[in-house]
Tab-separated table of all heavy atoms in Angstrom:
chain	number	residue	atom	x	y	z
A	52	ILE	N	-0.427	-26.372	11.335
A	52	ILE	CA	0.499	-26.276	12.467
A	52	ILE	C	-0.269	-26.276	13.787
A	52	ILE	O	0.114	-26.956	14.758
A	52	ILE	CB	1.366	-25.008	12.340
A	52	ILE	CG1	2.352	-25.150	11.187
A	52	ILE	CG2	2.116	-24.738	13.639
A	52	ILE	CD1	3.180	-23.908	10.922
A	53	LEU	N	-1.372	-25.550	13.841
A	53	LEU	CA	-2.198	-25.537	15.050
A	53	LEU	C	-2.798	-26.911	15.315
A	53	LEU	O	-2.881	-27.353	16.471
A	53	LEU	CB	-3.304	-24.484	14.917
A	53	LEU	CG	-2.842	-23.025	14.902
A	53	LEU	CD1	-4.031	-22.095	14.682
A	53	LEU	CD2	-2.135	-22.661	16.202
A	54	ILE	N	-3.214	-27.594	14.247
A	54	ILE	CA	-3.735	-28.953	14.410
A	54	ILE	C	-2.669	-29.872	15.000
A	54	ILE	O	-2.940	-30.679	15.902
A	54	ILE	CB	-4.226	-29.492	13.050
A	54	ILE	CG1	-5.562	-28.877	12.681
A	54	ILE	CG2	-4.351	-31.016	13.087
A	54	ILE	CD1	-6.085	-29.329	11.337
A	55	ALA	N	-1.439	-29.739	14.486
A	55	ALA	CA	-0.354	-30.585	14.980
A	55	ALA	C	-0.047	-30.295	16.452
A	55	ALA	O	0.201	-31.216	17.237
A	55	ALA	CB	0.901	-30.367	14.123
A	56	ILE	N	-0.085	-29.029	16.826
A	56	ILE	CA	0.235	-28.664	18.208
A	56	ILE	C	-0.845	-29.155	19.181
A	56	ILE	O	-0.548	-29.709	20.250
A	56	ILE	CB	0.412	-27.139	18.333
A	56	ILE	CG1	1.644	-26.678	17.544
A	56	ILE	CG2	0.538	-26.721	19.798
A	56	ILE	CD1	1.803	-25.173	17.486
A	57	PHE	N	-2.093	-28.969	18.789
A	57	PHE	CA	-3.205	-29.264	19.703
A	57	PHE	C	-3.883	-30.587	19.370
A	57	PHE	O	-5.039	-30.795	19.768
A	57	PHE	CB	-4.224	-28.129	19.656
A	57	PHE	CG	-3.693	-26.810	20.125
A	57	PHE	CD1	-3.403	-25.806	19.211
A	57	PHE	CD2	-3.441	-26.584	21.466
A	57	PHE	CE1	-2.904	-24.579	19.643
A	57	PHE	CE2	-2.941	-25.373	21.897
A	57	PHE	CZ	-2.666	-24.361	20.986
A	58	ALA	N	-3.194	-31.486	18.683
A	58	ALA	CA	-3.787	-32.776	18.325
A	58	ALA	C	-4.291	-33.558	19.540
A	58	ALA	O	-5.398	-34.118	19.490
A	58	ALA	CB	-2.789	-33.610	17.528
A	59	PRO	N	-3.547	-33.621	20.656
A	59	PRO	CA	-4.076	-34.367	21.813
A	59	PRO	C	-5.370	-33.790	22.377
A	59	PRO	O	-6.171	-34.533	22.965
A	59	PRO	CB	-2.933	-34.260	22.834
A	59	PRO	CG	-1.711	-34.001	22.024
A	59	PRO	CD	-2.173	-33.156	20.887
A	60	LEU	N	-5.578	-32.489	22.210
A	60	LEU	CA	-6.801	-31.872	22.711
A	60	LEU	C	-7.953	-32.000	21.725
A	60	LEU	O	-9.129	-32.062	22.145
A	60	LEU	CB	-6.546	-30.389	23.023
A	60	LEU	CG	-5.465	-30.077	24.065
A	60	LEU	CD1	-5.284	-28.575	24.204
A	60	LEU	CD2	-5.812	-30.700	25.411
A	61	LEU	N	-7.650	-32.025	20.429
A	61	LEU	CA	-8.688	-32.063	19.409
A	61	LEU	C	-9.138	-33.477	19.075
A	61	LEU	O	-10.290	-33.677	18.676
A	61	LEU	CB	-8.190	-31.377	18.123
A	61	LEU	CG	-7.827	-29.888	18.240
A	61	LEU	CD1	-7.223	-29.390	16.935
A	61	LEU	CD2	-9.048	-29.056	18.595
A	62	ALA	N	-8.239	-34.445	19.206
A	62	ALA	CA	-8.572	-35.819	18.813
A	62	ALA	C	-9.546	-36.437	19.813
A	62	ALA	O	-9.266	-36.473	21.019
A	62	ALA	CB	-7.307	-36.655	18.721
A	63	PRO	N	-10.676	-36.957	19.341
A	63	PRO	CA	-11.638	-37.573	20.264
A	63	PRO	C	-11.199	-38.947	20.762
A	63	PRO	O	-11.693	-39.427	21.792
A	63	PRO	CB	-12.917	-37.672	19.421
A	63	PRO	CG	-12.430	-37.722	18.006
A	63	PRO	CD	-11.183	-36.890	17.964
A	64	TYR	N	-10.282	-39.588	20.036
A	64	TYR	CA	-9.807	-40.915	20.413
A	64	TYR	C	-8.284	-40.945	20.299
A	64	TYR	O	-7.674	-40.072	19.678
A	64	TYR	CB	-10.411	-42.003	19.516
A	64	TYR	CG	-11.918	-42.021	19.467
A	64	TYR	CD1	-12.613	-41.346	18.459
A	64	TYR	CD2	-12.661	-42.716	20.418
A	64	TYR	CE1	-14.000	-41.364	18.405
A	64	TYR	CE2	-14.050	-42.737	20.379
A	64	TYR	CZ	-14.711	-42.059	19.365
A	64	TYR	OH	-16.078	-42.065	19.319
A	65	SER	N	-7.703	-41.960	20.868
A	65	SER	CA	-6.275	-42.186	20.683
A	65	SER	C	-6.042	-42.730	19.286
A	65	SER	O	-6.865	-43.482	18.754
A	65	SER	CB	-5.742	-43.170	21.727
A	65	SER	OG	-4.396	-43.521	21.440
A	66	PHE	N	-4.930	-42.345	18.675
A	66	PHE	CA	-4.669	-42.791	17.300
A	66	PHE	C	-4.409	-44.286	17.213
A	66	PHE	O	-4.487	-44.876	16.131
A	66	PHE	CB	-3.483	-42.020	16.704
A	66	PHE	CG	-2.157	-42.317	17.352
A	66	PHE	CD1	-1.395	-43.409	16.966
A	66	PHE	CD2	-1.662	-41.492	18.354
A	66	PHE	CE1	-0.170	-43.682	17.549
A	66	PHE	CE2	-0.443	-41.759	18.946
A	66	PHE	CZ	0.304	-42.852	18.550
A	67	SER	N	-4.115	-44.944	18.339
A	67	SER	CA	-3.791	-46.374	18.317
A	67	SER	C	-4.901	-47.260	18.875
A	67	SER	O	-4.756	-48.485	18.890
A	67	SER	CB	-2.505	-46.630	19.101
A	67	SER	OG	-2.646	-46.190	20.444
A	68	ASP	N	-6.004	-46.666	19.337
A	68	ASP	CA	-7.110	-47.468	19.879
A	68	ASP	C	-7.746	-48.304	18.780
A	68	ASP	O	-8.160	-47.771	17.741
A	68	ASP	CB	-8.167	-46.568	20.517
A	68	ASP	CG	-7.718	-46.018	21.858
A	68	ASP	OD1	-6.713	-46.531	22.389
A	68	ASP	OD2	-8.374	-45.095	22.379
A	69	GLN	N	-7.818	-49.610	19.016
A	69	GLN	CA	-8.414	-50.521	18.037
A	69	GLN	C	-9.716	-51.114	18.581
A	69	GLN	O	-9.804	-51.460	19.749
A	69	GLN	CB	-7.451	-51.661	17.687
A	69	GLN	CG	-6.142	-51.205	17.070
A	69	GLN	CD	-5.260	-52.368	16.679
A	69	GLN	OE1	-5.717	-53.508	16.595
A	69	GLN	NE2	-3.995	-52.098	16.413
A	70	LYS	N	-10.699	-51.208	17.691
A	70	LYS	CA	-11.995	-51.811	18.027
A	70	LYS	C	-12.508	-52.488	16.769
A	70	LYS	O	-13.165	-51.883	15.935
A	70	LYS	CB	-12.968	-50.744	18.522
A	70	LYS	CG	-14.192	-51.322	19.206
A	70	LYS	CD	-15.044	-50.220	19.810
A	70	LYS	CE	-16.261	-50.801	20.525
A	70	LYS	NZ	-17.113	-49.733	21.113
A	71	LEU	N	-12.170	-53.770	16.641
A	71	LEU	CA	-12.458	-54.497	15.409
A	71	LEU	C	-13.944	-54.550	15.095
A	71	LEU	O	-14.336	-54.660	13.929
A	71	LEU	CB	-11.890	-55.917	15.505
A	71	LEU	CG	-10.353	-56.019	15.593
A	71	LEU	CD1	-9.927	-57.471	15.718
A	71	LEU	CD2	-9.701	-55.375	14.376
A	72	ALA	N	-14.764	-54.444	16.111
A	72	ALA	CA	-16.210	-54.469	15.868
A	72	ALA	C	-16.672	-53.228	15.106
A	72	ALA	O	-17.743	-53.230	14.491
A	72	ALA	CB	-16.965	-54.591	17.190
A	73	ASP	N	-15.874	-52.152	15.134
A	73	ASP	CA	-16.246	-50.889	14.465
A	73	ASP	C	-15.436	-50.636	13.200
A	73	ASP	O	-15.324	-49.506	12.752
A	73	ASP	CB	-16.047	-49.715	15.429
A	73	ASP	CG	-16.999	-49.763	16.612
A	73	ASP	OD1	-18.044	-50.426	16.487
A	73	ASP	OD2	-16.689	-49.145	17.647
A	74	LYS	N	-14.872	-51.686	12.609
A	74	LYS	CA	-14.019	-51.463	11.441
A	74	LYS	C	-14.845	-51.001	10.242
A	74	LYS	O	-15.989	-51.404	10.046
A	74	LYS	CB	-13.238	-52.728	11.102
A	74	LYS	CG	-14.075	-53.867	10.552
A	74	LYS	CD	-13.170	-55.027	10.150
A	74	LYS	CE	-13.976	-56.166	9.522
A	74	LYS	NZ	-13.088	-57.273	9.093
A	75	HIS	N	-14.239	-50.102	9.481
A	75	HIS	CA	-14.812	-49.569	8.237
A	75	HIS	C	-16.193	-48.952	8.431
A	75	HIS	O	-17.086	-49.103	7.600
A	75	HIS	CB	-14.877	-50.656	7.163
A	75	HIS	CG	-13.536	-51.045	6.634
A	75	HIS	ND1	-13.303	-52.231	5.969
A	75	HIS	CD2	-12.331	-50.404	6.677
A	75	HIS	CE1	-12.031	-52.310	5.621
A	75	HIS	NE2	-11.420	-51.209	6.046
A	76	LEU	N	-16.334	-48.236	9.541
A	76	LEU	CA	-17.563	-47.479	9.733
A	76	LEU	C	-17.504	-46.218	8.885
A	76	LEU	O	-16.470	-45.540	8.816
A	76	LEU	CB	-17.751	-47.111	11.198
A	76	LEU	CG	-18.018	-48.267	12.176
A	76	LEU	CD1	-18.160	-47.722	13.595
A	76	LEU	CD2	-19.253	-49.051	11.778
A	77	ALA	N	-18.608	-45.864	8.254
A	77	ALA	CA	-18.668	-44.667	7.426
A	77	ALA	C	-18.620	-43.418	8.305
A	77	ALA	O	-18.914	-43.478	9.515
A	77	ALA	CB	-19.944	-44.674	6.582
A	78	PRO	N	-18.234	-42.271	7.735
A	78	PRO	CA	-18.216	-41.023	8.526
A	78	PRO	C	-19.577	-40.763	9.169
A	78	PRO	O	-20.625	-40.897	8.530
A	78	PRO	CB	-17.868	-39.957	7.486
A	78	PRO	CG	-17.095	-40.700	6.445
A	78	PRO	CD	-17.700	-42.061	6.376
A	79	SER	N	-19.534	-40.361	10.439
A	79	SER	CA	-20.754	-40.107	11.204
A	79	SER	C	-20.440	-39.110	12.307
A	79	SER	O	-19.303	-38.608	12.423
A	79	SER	CB	-21.295	-41.412	11.802
A	79	SER	OG	-20.358	-41.971	12.707
A	80	GLY	N	-21.433	-38.822	13.130
A	80	GLY	CA	-21.219	-37.904	14.238
A	80	GLY	C	-20.252	-38.450	15.264
A	80	GLY	O	-19.571	-37.703	15.960
A	81	GLU	N	-20.175	-39.778	15.376
A	81	GLU	CA	-19.265	-40.399	16.345
A	81	GLU	C	-17.848	-40.475	15.787
A	81	GLU	O	-16.882	-40.266	16.524
A	81	GLU	CB	-19.777	-41.789	16.700
A	81	GLU	CG	-18.971	-42.471	17.803
A	81	GLU	CD	-19.543	-43.827	18.169
A	81	GLU	OE1	-20.568	-44.231	17.575
A	81	GLU	OE2	-18.958	-44.493	19.060
A	82	HIS	N	-17.739	-40.803	14.527
A	82	HIS	CA	-16.434	-40.872	13.856
A	82	HIS	C	-16.525	-39.992	12.609
A	82	HIS	O	-17.054	-40.425	11.574
A	82	HIS	CB	-16.084	-42.311	13.479
A	82	HIS	CG	-15.986	-43.246	14.633
A	82	HIS	ND1	-14.901	-43.288	15.484
A	82	HIS	CD2	-16.863	-44.181	15.110
A	82	HIS	CE1	-15.086	-44.204	16.414
A	82	HIS	NE2	-16.275	-44.765	16.211
A	83	TRP	N	-16.022	-38.784	12.697
A	83	TRP	CA	-16.198	-37.792	11.635
A	83	TRP	C	-15.633	-38.247	10.303
A	83	TRP	O	-16.205	-37.967	9.263
A	83	TRP	CB	-15.564	-36.465	12.055
A	83	TRP	CG	-16.294	-35.773	13.158
A	83	TRP	CD1	-17.420	-36.205	13.795
A	83	TRP	CD2	-15.962	-34.524	13.742
A	83	TRP	NE1	-17.812	-35.305	14.759
A	83	TRP	CE2	-16.932	-34.248	14.751
A	83	TRP	CE3	-14.941	-33.604	13.548
A	83	TRP	CZ2	-16.905	-33.103	15.534
A	83	TRP	CZ3	-14.904	-32.452	14.329
A	83	TRP	CH2	-15.878	-32.210	15.310
A	84	PHE	N	-14.480	-38.921	10.331
A	84	PHE	CA	-13.849	-39.388	9.103
A	84	PHE	C	-14.002	-40.897	8.932
A	84	PHE	O	-13.359	-41.483	8.069
A	84	PHE	CB	-12.367	-39.030	9.078
A	84	PHE	CG	-12.089	-37.550	8.907
A	84	PHE	CD1	-10.780	-37.072	8.938
A	84	PHE	CD2	-13.119	-36.646	8.729
A	84	PHE	CE1	-10.517	-35.715	8.784
A	84	PHE	CE2	-12.873	-35.289	8.583
A	84	PHE	CZ	-11.575	-34.824	8.613
A	85	GLY	N	-14.831	-41.532	9.733
A	85	GLY	CA	-14.996	-42.973	9.669
A	85	GLY	C	-13.890	-43.709	10.407
A	85	GLY	O	-13.090	-43.117	11.139
A	86	THR	N	-13.831	-45.008	10.211
A	86	THR	CA	-12.812	-45.836	10.854
A	86	THR	C	-12.097	-46.675	9.799
A	86	THR	O	-12.586	-46.857	8.674
A	86	THR	CB	-13.433	-46.769	11.909
A	86	THR	OG1	-14.407	-47.624	11.270
A	86	THR	CG2	-14.129	-45.976	12.998
A	87	ASP	N	-10.929	-47.209	10.169
A	87	ASP	CA	-10.147	-48.014	9.233
A	87	ASP	C	-10.396	-49.504	9.468
A	87	ASP	O	-11.327	-49.899	10.169
A	87	ASP	CB	-8.661	-47.661	9.344
A	87	ASP	CG	-8.100	-47.937	10.739
A	87	ASP	OD1	-8.804	-48.559	11.561
A	87	ASP	OD2	-6.951	-47.531	10.995
A	88	GLU	N	-9.513	-50.325	8.920
A	88	GLU	CA	-9.721	-51.782	8.988
A	88	GLU	C	-9.532	-52.341	10.391
A	88	GLU	O	-9.926	-53.487	10.659
A	88	GLU	CB	-8.772	-52.493	8.007
A	88	GLU	CG	-7.286	-52.430	8.374
A	88	GLU	CD	-6.617	-51.176	7.853
A	88	GLU	OE1	-7.342	-50.203	7.520
A	88	GLU	OE2	-5.376	-51.159	7.784
A	89	PHE	N	-8.952	-51.579	11.290
A	89	PHE	CA	-8.794	-52.013	12.676
A	89	PHE	C	-9.756	-51.296	13.628
A	89	PHE	O	-9.619	-51.422	14.842
A	89	PHE	CB	-7.357	-51.786	13.150
A	89	PHE	CG	-6.347	-52.607	12.416
A	89	PHE	CD1	-5.498	-52.033	11.484
A	89	PHE	CD2	-6.242	-53.976	12.635
A	89	PHE	CE1	-4.571	-52.782	10.795
A	89	PHE	CE2	-5.319	-54.741	11.956
A	89	PHE	CZ	-4.476	-54.146	11.027
Side-chain angles (χ1 to χ4, degrees):
I52 290 176
L53 292 177
I54 284 178
I56 294 174
F57 297 106
L60 300 177
L61 298 174
Y64 304 94
S65 172
F66 67 84
S67 59
D68 285 347
Q69 299 183 16
K70 194 174 181 181
L71 295 179
D73 294 338
K74 70 175 183 178
H75 289 161
L76 293 179
S79 62
E81 185 178 359
H82 299 283
W83 290 0
F84 290 177
T86 59
D87 61 9
E88 68 274 18
F89 296 106

